[in-house]
Amino acid sequence: MFCLVALWVSSWTVLTPAIDEAVSAEVRSQLSEILARPALKDARVGLYVVRMSDGAELFAHHADTLMVPASNVKIVTTAAALHHLGPDYRFRTEILGEAASDGVVRGDIVLRGNGDPTLVPERVWYLASRLTYLGIRAIQGDIVVDDTYFAGPRLALGWEQDSSSSAYMAPAGAVSVGFNAVMIHVLPGVAVGDPARVLVEPGSDYATLDNQTVTIPRGRTSVNAEVEAQGERSVIKITGKITARDAGRGFWRRIDNPSLFSGEVLKRTLQQVGITVKGKVRVGIAPTEPKVLATLDSPRLAELLLRVNKNSSNFTAQQVALALGAALFGAPGTWEKGKLAAESFLMHQVGVSPGTYELANASGLHDVNRFTPQQLVAVLQHMAKRPELWPEFQASFAVAAGSGTLADRMRDTEAAHLLRAKTGTLSIAS
């Protein structure tokens, strides 16, 4: 197992040389004792500790060794995004079309986005409601989804190592709704012997349901839910058995085609707010001079990064990286462009030389990335010298015993509510 620890100690206290050396010695002693524990006998540990006030190295152990950083890659992704885009950058989603005075759109409407990772179903409802405020009551054409702001593989490099449809590996898309995942509710059938009742949120006609479950009178519930690609759409497969008195089970699962999924969710939502849609959902390109019917901007980038670092959202990290590539090098955004942007930040701002690390995706998922503890500390040191970025960056990290991935950790320690950190966990690395 790899264990990578990049610590940056915040200390602005002025110390005399004697006290300073005593503190440094105590740090070295305690960390050496931890590294000698039997629990770490078979682990390869990298550790690098520096002090904020003067950058002094307090402790180093395999600090220059390349290791699997897991989700600590998000430190690089978010720092590069703040540097290049600024904390006030926003993603925009638009609905385009031409409405007649009688409230009928006789052509198509276009749903166009530039990668907003926060376009949840409630915000789609807002867009649909905006159309009702314009007096629109019917759409005779299709719903066209313009997803051309992003290009390339929907799944990041390394994600092929997991063949499940787990939501933490949701695909990227310029138009994406609900983190490109669905919640599948499985409840007992009306009577013993009946198939389980299955509800999918958000509701749409995007996926077909293959329900192979049965309700049993007693025993143990054993239900599995997976989403599999079926052409351009998906099929939701539910298997197993559920007891008649079971309270129900829920499964977050990714979908396969963000564009069609988003369009179908919009179509269902339009119908729910009273707008009839005669046409189908398809992928296409917006007209050259479109009329904008409704727009929706995301929260500030700084707020989005809370989800990336505090909650370690792989989907949001990948969306940010693709948008970063498009903003710097022109649409469509691709991982290659996003990687170039991150590498430029590392080389020109942080001073990390190309070829000394491996950056294969924006989230750190699976074992395709390599960084050293010292390189990650260098990113933190650089960001702390940027007063226009540091408060937002620092606030994005989880808090021990407080929030994010550290909410339930170190509750009864001196670190509680003081330590801010980015965690990373894989089967082979921590």
Side-chain angles (χ1 to χ4, degrees), residues 19-341:
I19 296 177
D20 183 45
E21 177 53 36
V23 170
S24 299
E26 179 65 15
V27 169
R28 291 192 294 270
S29 174
Q30 291 190 22
L31 291 178
S32 297
E33 185 274 326
I34 291 172
L35 290 173
R37 290 177 183 175
L40 294 177
K41 176 184 177 183
D42 298 321
R44 186 157 67 113
V45 180
L47 180 61
Y48 190 57
V49 186
V50 299
R51 186 172 51 220
M52 177 185 290
S53 56
D54 57 3
E57 177 184 300
L58 301 184
F59 193 85
H61 181 79
H62 295 314
D64 293 321
T65 301
L66 284 172
M67 295 185 174
V68 178
S71 283
N72 280 283
V73 166
K74 295 183 177 79
I75 293 174
V76 176
T77 301
T78 53
L82 282 172
H83 168 72
H84 288 300
L85 300 177
D88 294 324
Y89 177 86
R90 296 176 189 267
F91 297 79
R92 171 161 290 187
T93 303
E94 301 172 315
I95 294 183
L96 316 169
E98 190 74 43
S101 58
D102 60 358
V104 177
V105 178
R106 289 179 169 79
D108 303 328
I109 66 166
V110 179
L111 175 63
R112 181 170 68 182
N114 67 345
D116 185 356
T118 67
L119 190 62
V120 293
E122 293 84 352
R123 290 165 65 80
V124 176
W125 184 280
Y126 169 86
L127 284 170
S129 297
R130 296 302 303 173
L131 299 190
T132 66
Y133 300 155
L134 295 175
I136 296 175
R137 56 184 179 81
I139 299 167
Q140 293 185 343
D142 296 337
I143 294 178
V144 180
V145 183
D146 185 342
D147 63 354
T148 55
Y149 195 71
F150 288 172
R154 298 185 189 278
L155 297 180
L157 184 65
W159 294 16
E160 73 281 352
Q161 297 177 22
D162 188 335
S163 60
S164 74
S165 58
S166 299
Y168 67 81
M169 296 189 303
V175 183
S176 298
V177 169
F179 313 110
N180 288 335
V182 292
M183 168 58 82
I184 304 168
H185 302 272
V186 183
L187 304 163
V190 176
V192 171
D194 287 351
R197 291 174 293 145
V198 179
L199 305 173
V200 180
E201 294 183 279
S204 76
D205 293 327
Y206 165 76
T208 57
L209 180 64
D210 181 7
N211 186 355
Q212 301 177 22
T213 58
V214 63
T215 304
I216 58 177
R218 63 187 63 86
R220 177 177 296 180
T221 293
S222 177
V223 174
N224 186 49
E226 292 292 341
V227 177
E228 299 178 2
Q230 190 176 64
E232 292 188 331
R233 295 173 181 261
S234 297
V235 56
I236 299 172
K237 290 188 175 182
I238 315 295
T239 57
K241 55 189 180 181
I242 186 169
T243 59
R245 293 189 177 183
D246 196 285
R249 306 298 169 97
F251 304 87
W252 280 108
R253 294 291 183 264
R254 74 183 188 191
I255 52 85
D256 300 292
N257 191 326
S259 306
L260 289 180
F261 173 66
S262 300
E264 290 289 0
V265 172
L266 174 61
K267 183 177 181 180
R268 176 69 63 86
T269 307
L270 289 170
Q271 294 167 340
Q272 290 173 336
V273 299
I275 299 176
T276 60
V277 182
K278 186 176 181 179
K280 62 182 180 180
V281 175
R282 59 184 175 88
V283 176
I285 300 176
T288 305
E289 297 181 359
K291 180 177 180 181
V292 179
L293 296 174
T295 64
L296 178 64
D297 288 341
S298 75
R300 300 167 61 243
L301 176 66
E303 296 177 48
L304 271 59
L305 298 188
L306 298 178
R307 178 173 293 276
V308 179
N309 284 335
K310 282 185 184 295
N311 305 112
S312 210
S313 170
N314 300 318
F315 167 75
T316 306
Q318 199 69 12
Q319 294 284 105
V320 168
L322 294 175
L324 177 58
L328 262 66
F329 303 107
T334 64
W335 166 241
E336 289 74 19
K337 293 178 182 178
K339 180 181 179 181
L340 281 176

